[in-house]
Amino acid sequence: MTMTTSPTPAGRTSSAPGLGERLRTGFGLLGPRHSRHTLPVEQADALSLPMGDDGVVVGVNAEGQPAVLGVNRPTPYDIVLIGGLWTAQVMALRAAATGARVAVETGRAQAWMHMVHAMGGGQNGLAVYDVGRVPPQGASAGTPVLVVRDCGMRPPRGRVVSAPWQSVLTLLPYLSPVAPRLMRQARLVGVQRVSPDEAAEIGRVMGLPRPDLDTLPTLPDGVTLWCTERDRQYVVTRATDAETGLLGVARRMD
């Protein structure tokens, strides 16, 4: 096979394409030149990358590290939060910021409408529906969904349930007769400040040790005990300036 080269100006015998040819073809463009980054071999063991879960940062743990809740999952995921509206709304805002669509099922739409207006009238990831009126969301890996059920003490069984790429967060302001069933079914349970009697019932259902039962009635606003089958973690949710401007300061009661 014979290879030919483009002619070069007289007196020039380079076989590599010149700058004009590179600019014309779009290949081999000259970019910024930086010195190489090197690391001595003896320092290689000190090199690390801050890797963590992918999801919504719900606050910081006792060590001051970000506490991340992965709500966008390929498997059904149910969350129960026994706590305040403020925390649920912060989680909804942050889930929407990750690219998830948030569908709020609520009997107090007025408490959510300021968020809808702030986010562009429902066109940017958050929509509010009456109880029992949430339509199918069509969740997928490209468009994950978080359904927030703010339906009071005794939420009815939802028409839209957890599914692949569709998590459901059920907000309970207090412990109710349906709470034990919901907690047992959930993959994750969050508990904010409750009464001593409620703490005792939650401890019985979740298998909490005595120190947690004594702590739950004294939790400050914005602090949540998140529980899974194998782990427990106290998390402090601190709002950003934008979140504070929209939602106010952290509070357990509304």
Side-chain angles (χ1 to χ4, degrees):
M1 179 175 65
T2 302
M3 180 176 67
T4 61
T5 60
S6 301
T8 58
R12 191 169 168 186
T13 59
S14 173
S15 60
L19 177 60
E21 176 66 13
R22 282 187 277 186
L23 291 173
R24 185 182 67 80
T25 60
F27 293 100
L29 295 178
L30 296 177
R33 295 294 184 262
H34 301 287
S35 58
R36 293 185 177 184
H37 299 282
T38 60
L39 182 72
V41 174
E42 58 270 16
Q43 297 182 15
D45 291 340
L47 183 64
S48 63
L49 296 175
M51 301 294 289
D53 292 334
D54 180 20
V56 176
V57 178
V58 294
V60 295
N61 60 22
E63 290 74 36
Q65 300 297 319
V68 180
L69 173 59
V71 297
N72 302 333
R73 296 170 176 262
T75 55
Y77 198 69
D78 286 286
I79 308 164
V80 170
L81 172 62
I82 303 172
L85 177 65
W86 183 89
T87 302
Q89 290 184 328
V90 169
M91 293 176 61
L93 279 176
R94 295 181 181 182
T98 68
R101 288 188 292 109
V102 179
V104 179
E105 180 182 9
T106 181
R108 47 177 173 175
Q110 72 281 356
W112 291 86
M113 291 312 296
H114 63 296
M115 290 177 55
V116 175
H117 297 320
M119 296 178 64
Q123 300 302 311
N124 292 315
L126 190 147
V128 175
Y129 304 93
D130 291 333
V131 176
R133 298 297 183 89
V134 182
Q137 296 296 302
S140 66
T143 56
V145 173
L146 173 65
V147 178
V148 179
R149 305 201 69 215
D150 174 28
C151 306
M153 297 281 290
R154 297 172 180 263
R157 294 187 181 272
R159 292 176 54 191
V160 178
V161 299
S162 61
W165 303 111
Q166 180 169 288
S167 298
V168 174
L169 167 63
T170 300
L171 174 64
L172 299 176
Y174 301 102
L175 203 65
S176 69
V178 302
R181 172 179 60 83
L182 294 175
M183 287 190 291
R184 293 187 184 99
Q185 293 174 347
R187 298 278 301 279
L188 179 69
V189 176
V191 184
Q192 296 187 321
R193 186 173 62 249
V194 292
S195 70
D197 289 343
E198 290 175 305
E201 178 64 14
I202 292 170
R204 185 184 65 80
V205 175
M206 301 299 299
L208 300 180
R210 187 70 206 184
D212 288 327
L213 304 187
D214 296 335
T215 299
L216 287 178
T218 67
L219 290 180
D221 291 343
V223 177
T224 307
L225 173 62
W226 291 103
C227 308
T228 66
E229 291 183 352
R230 296 177 296 180
D231 191 24
R232 298 185 308 278
Q233 190 172 116
Y234 286 94
V235 173
V236 181
T237 302
R238 297 190 178 102
T240 64
D241 290 342
E243 290 168 346
T244 299
L246 182 60
L247 304 175
V249 298
R251 58 194 181 276
R252 170 65 174 91
M253 302 293 295
D254 290 285

